[in-house]
């Protein structure tokens, strides 16, 4: 299970990095076009917006894993360890379940996008709307991994803080 989590984390980090790089390139091209260095291009703003959606979608699971996603743990800190563990488990189960419950509605949203096209890029909008599905699945998967880890005893359910946070 730990190997699967590590691989999933690497994939999510890489996808987040690629999304960020697309944003950087698109903004630089946009700046060059506005400053007259190159001919102005209209697709850069749209690409930046879509890449930002995917950046958030791939990053939300990583943020949940590291505790950087709206993590209010003041209640857990005040509780005895067993109660805090139970509360963390309950929160992870609810997060996973909530994400999975929304998958069907999100799939409908994604499929509607197949009939639409982005104005300047010409990309079918289902590819763009899929970012919401990716976000839900990413969040649900990392929450499910926390639940499994807690039930098997490989983790206490506390967020995996990054080295620089320690």
């Amino acid at each position: 299970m730990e190997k699967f989590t590590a691989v999933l984390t690497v994939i999510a980090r890489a996808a987040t990095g690629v999304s960020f790089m697309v944003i950087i390139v698109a903004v630089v091209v946009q700046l060059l076009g506005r400053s007259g260095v190159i001919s102005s291009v209209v697709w850069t703003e749209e690409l930046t917006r879509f890449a930002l959606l995917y950046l958030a979608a791939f990053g939300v699971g990583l943020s949940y894993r590291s505790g950087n996603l709206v993590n209010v743990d003041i209640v857990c800190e005040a509780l005895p360890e067993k109660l805090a563990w139970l509360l963390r488990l309950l929160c992870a189960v609810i997060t996973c379940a909530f994400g999975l419950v929304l998958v069907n509605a999100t799939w409908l949203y994604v499929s509607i996008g197949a009939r639409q096209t982005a104005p300047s890029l010409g990309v079918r909008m289902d590819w763009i709307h899929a970012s919401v599905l990716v976000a839900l699945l990413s969040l649900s998967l990392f929450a499910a991994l926390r639940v499994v880890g807690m039930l098997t005893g490989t983790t206490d359910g506390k967020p995996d803080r990054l080295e620089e946070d320690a």
Side-chain angles (χ1 to χ4, degrees):
M1 186 58 68
E2 289 180 34
K3 188 168 186 144
F4 177 73
T5 303
V7 169
L8 184 64
T9 300
V10 167
I11 291 169
R13 283 181 178 169
T16 303
V18 168
S19 299
F20 193 58
M21 289 305 298
V22 168
I23 291 171
I24 290 170
V25 169
V27 168
V28 167
V29 169
Q30 186 177 47
L31 289 172
L32 291 173
R34 287 184 180 191
S35 64
V37 175
I38 62 172
S39 297
S40 184
V41 288
V42 296
W43 51 265
T44 55
E45 185 179 338
E46 202 170 70
L47 181 62
T48 302
R49 195 174 323 123
F50 297 156
L52 185 60
L53 289 171
Y54 273 98
L55 175 87
F58 287 115
V60 71
L62 294 172
S63 296
Y64 180 80
R65 183 173 185 263
S66 66
N68 293 321
L69 179 71
V70 188
N71 189 27
V72 182
D73 57 0
I74 194 166
V75 174
C76 283
E77 297 292 328
L79 294 173
E81 185 54 36
K82 287 190 180 204
L83 238 64
W85 182 90
L86 189 60
L87 184 58
R88 286 191 299 269
L89 178 66
L90 179 65
C91 288
V93 167
I94 290 171
T95 300
C96 180
F98 184 69
L100 294 177
V101 163
L102 292 175
V103 167
N104 279 339
T106 305
W107 186 255
L108 176 63
Y109 172 68
V110 171
S111 64
I112 288 171
R115 295 177 282 185
Q116 302 169 335
T117 305
S120 54
L121 285 175
V123 176
R124 281 188 1 214
M125 288 303 291
D126 55 343
W127 288 100
I128 309 309
H129 293 172
S131 64
V132 179
L133 185 61
V134 169
L136 280 175
L137 293 175
S138 175
L139 183 61
S140 297
L141 193 52
F142 278 104
L145 289 171
R146 182 175 291 175
V147 169
V148 170
M150 290 179 75
L151 294 177
T152 60
T154 58
T155 182
D156 60 2
K158 292 180 181 174
D160 296 336
R161 296 285 181 197
L162 301 174
E163 294 80 30
E164 59 265 12
D165 289 345

